Amino acid sequence: GENVEQHPSTLSVQEGDSAVIKCTYSDSASNYFPWYKQELGKRPQLIIDIRSNVGEKKDQRIAVTLNKTAKHFSLHITETQPEDSAVYFCAASTNQFYFGTGTSLTVIP
Amino acid sequence: DAGVTQSPTHLIKTRGQHVTLRCSPISGHKSVSWYQQVLGQGPQFIFQYYEKEERGRGNFPDRFSARQFPNYSSELNVNALLLGDSALYLCASSFSGAREKLFFGSGTQLSVL
């Protein structure tokens, strides 16, 4: 089955700086790659997603890039704010979803 | 528009007991999937159902079973509970389930003592 690895496990940045989280996947058949944000005690919520026929997608301060050849994709958050502090999960999907282990992002005011 | 609802929110059981968790998808969604999230880890896929048929099963023992009803709601059953089954159980719904946005419920926190 699919194996998704996510790095780093924890990340601290100063407010206003950028944050980058990276994921790799193993199954070349995976073709949908969502990112979820989970605040403490709350449900995961989709923040951005990308399909395998697209190399990059941007939504305001959030962007995702995909390298199908290398089987890796990354989340970029610019101009970070304290409310960006949460755990972020990447996932890869063929017919089912396989999640990474999560990155705990702390934005220091 | 109501989101994905799960019940109960919290549950305490003892080893060897059985538990049933329930999930109601967003109206119009026909696919429900179940995930186990251990503290500090990502959600792990357990089951996916679409139109009452099992579409996929993750690497979980046969003690775990699920079903989907004609109204698209779903139940996850776990028999012979072990301490290691303690986790947050998340349900997610989507229109068809394959390669599209998942909407998660708030989860059921199961503690096995």
Side-chain angles (χ1 to χ4, degrees):
Chain A
E2 176 64 279
N3 180 43
V4 179
E5 295 191 356
Q6 183 172 347
H7 300 281
S9 57
T10 60
L11 181 59
S12 292
V13 299
Q14 292 289 333
E15 182 177 0
D17 287 351
S18 295
V20 180
I21 303 171
K22 298 182 179 181
C23 288
T24 61
Y25 62 99
S26 61
D27 189 346
S28 56
S30 291
N31 55 11
Y32 175 61
F33 306 91
W35 287 87
Y36 285 83
K37 176 183 181 182
Q38 188 174 28
E39 296 177 47
L40 192 61
K42 297 196 174 180
R43 70 188 76 189
Q45 295 207 310
L46 181 77
I47 55 171
I48 196 167
D49 57 9
I50 192 167
R51 296 189 184 275
S52 58
N53 58 348
V54 176
E56 183 173 358
K57 184 177 178 181
K58 190 172 181 180
D59 182 5
Q60 298 181 20
R61 297 186 296 109
I62 296 173
V64 58
T65 58
L66 171 65
N67 183 327
K68 283 172 52 181
T69 303
K71 297 199 190 73
H72 67 71
F73 55 113
S74 300
L75 177 72
H76 305 251
I77 306 174
T78 58
E79 300 170 23
T80 53
Q81 301 166 3
E83 51 265 38
D84 294 329
S85 296
V87 179
Y88 292 80
F89 294 100
C90 63
S93 172
T94 51
N95 293 316
Q96 285 84 39
F97 285 77
Y98 294 89
F99 287 82
T101 50
T103 296
S104 178
L105 174 64
T106 302
V107 180
I108 304 164
Chain B
D1 187 21
V4 178
T5 58
Q6 290 187 243
S7 64
T9 55
H10 295 83
L11 205 50
I12 299 175
K13 292 285 189 178
T14 56
R15 280 179 300 174
Q17 285 189 312
H18 163 270
V19 67
T20 297
L21 310 181
R22 295 179 175 84
C23 172
S24 292
I26 291 172
S27 177
H29 283 188
K30 300 180 179 180
S31 177
V32 169
S33 50
W34 288 93
Y35 298 84
Q36 181 193 67
Q37 187 176 25
V38 175
L39 192 64
Q41 297 293 317
Q44 266 206 294
F45 171 69
I46 310 175
F47 285 108
Q48 184 194 11
Y49 278 78
Y50 175 71
E51 290 277 18
K52 304 181 293 293
E53 297 290 326
E54 182 184 301
R55 255 196 180 176
R57 171 187 286 253
N59 189 23
F60 280 81
D62 291 344
R63 299 184 296 109
F64 288 76
S65 63
R67 54 181 176 168
Q68 186 177 32
F69 299 100
N71 67 353
Y72 302 112
S73 67
S74 178
E75 284 183 354
L76 175 70
N77 295 282
V78 187
N79 292 324
L81 285 167
L82 302 174
L83 297 180
D85 294 331
S86 296
L88 178 68
Y89 288 85
L90 291 164
C91 170
S93 79
S94 63
F95 184 72
S96 69
R99 301 178 288 279
E100 61 179 11
K101 182 176 178 178
L102 291 179
F103 293 82
F104 281 92
S106 296
T108 295
Q109 185 65 55
L110 172 64
S111 298
V112 182
L113 306 179

